[in-house]
Amino acid sequence: MDERDEPTEYRQTPYKAPDGATEVLLIRHGASAPARPGRPFPLVDGHGDPELAPEGREQAERVAERLADERLDAIYVTPLRRTSETAAPLARRLGLEPRVERDLREVHLGEWEGGLFRKMVADDDPVAQRMFAEERWDVIPGAEKNEAFAARVEEGLVRLAAAHAGGRIAVFTHGGVIAQALAAATGARPFAFLGADNGSISRLVRLGGLSSLRGFNEVSHLDWSVPAPLTRRPWTPG
């Protein structure tokens, strides 16, 4: 039997992003400082702006170690300092100056800004219960409308993907933004991806207005001394 008689075979091949697509690494900032009664976080354009906690700075270093050998075309942060503080170790290693993308800042929590959101969730406040049941941020008095939040996150991602077509970028952002971006990419419920860990990496591939989810909540680079429990852990925003 010569080569012309060999049966045709169609093998499975590894995933390859389409030509011109942009790989977006969505990195949740490190753990931020705790909220304390009577000591609200400072505000930036109405958003709570805590600094990183010591464990958050350690998470930032581990993110930098994880991505130090990756090719990145740009690093983006939001106007809130917990993202720029998390990005700083990686930016130093790669010699990249982080750029600010306002549209990927955290959802605005209205009257629950400044750290109050954490208390209301911890207290299992009835409004917090309703928020999780209905999967709507705007149940909170004065909070950003879900539709407005979704629109600005999409606008920001479209703009960044177009600016880096065919490349790869790291976006240091927030838990609510990551949840919104991944829900939009998959057609999932609004809060389906809520709860990405601090310092985690999620991956989107974007081509025009289309998104493909390639990974969620990668935490292999984080040093946890004990395995994470399989039971649900309380979620904290930001």
Side-chain angles (χ1 to χ4, degrees):
M1 180 182 293
D2 61 29
E3 292 182 1
R4 290 173 297 179
D5 297 321
E6 290 291 328
T8 301
E9 295 181 333
Y10 300 95
R11 296 178 179 275
Q12 292 183 317
T13 58
Y15 173 83
K16 181 180 181 298
D19 290 342
T22 308
E23 184 177 5
V24 182
L25 306 183
L26 295 171
I27 303 160
R28 190 182 178 199
H29 62 80
S32 57
R36 295 184 174 91
R39 296 174 58 185
F41 298 141
L43 300 180
V44 170
D45 295 331
H47 291 259
D49 190 33
E51 64 182 353
L52 288 185
E55 61 269 27
R57 297 186 184 280
E58 175 63 24
Q59 290 161 347
E61 293 291 343
R62 293 193 174 276
V63 170
E65 291 173 8
R66 171 66 180 84
L67 298 177
D69 296 326
E70 298 288 340
R71 178 188 60 80
L72 291 175
D73 299 300
I75 293 174
Y76 285 88
V77 298
T78 79
L80 302 174
R81 60 180 168 174
R82 54 195 183 274
T83 63
S84 57
E85 289 175 353
T86 306
L90 179 63
R92 286 194 298 268
R93 287 183 182 231
L94 300 183
L96 294 173
E97 182 68 27
R99 311 176 194 183
V100 176
E101 174 49 63
R102 286 186 50 81
D103 279 345
L104 298 183
R105 67 193 183 280
E106 185 59 291
V107 63
H108 186 257
L109 298 172
E111 294 180 11
W112 288 9
E113 277 292 354
L116 181 59
F117 182 98
R118 299 187 191 181
K119 179 182 185 302
M120 302 303 265
V121 171
D123 290 347
D124 204 20
D125 182 89
V127 175
Q129 293 179 25
R130 183 183 162 206
M131 180 197 72
F132 285 118
E134 297 183 15
E135 301 192 18
R136 293 199 63 89
W137 299 109
D138 49 16
V139 167
I140 301 169
E144 189 170 6
K145 298 291 185 183
N146 277 40
E147 295 77 11
F149 178 52
R152 72 166 166 88
V153 169
E154 179 64 13
E155 289 171 7
L157 290 173
V158 167
R159 183 165 51 251
L160 297 190
H164 301 281
R168 175 191 284 169
I169 59 175
V171 179
F172 288 79
T173 185
H174 307 270
V177 172
I178 294 170
Q180 173 56 45
L182 302 193
T186 59
R189 304 185 336 269
F191 285 11
F193 292 95
L194 199 62
D197 287 296
N198 294 110
S200 65
I201 302 171
S202 298
R203 298 170 184 261
L204 284 179
V205 172
R206 298 217 32 135
L207 183 61
L210 300 177
S211 292
S212 175
L213 174 60
R214 297 296 302 160
F216 171 60
N217 202 49
E218 180 190 334
V219 293
S220 60
H221 52 287
L222 299 179
D223 183 22
W224 289 329
S225 59
V226 295
L230 297 180
T231 53
R232 182 180 176 184
R233 293 179 292 169
W235 177 76
T236 54

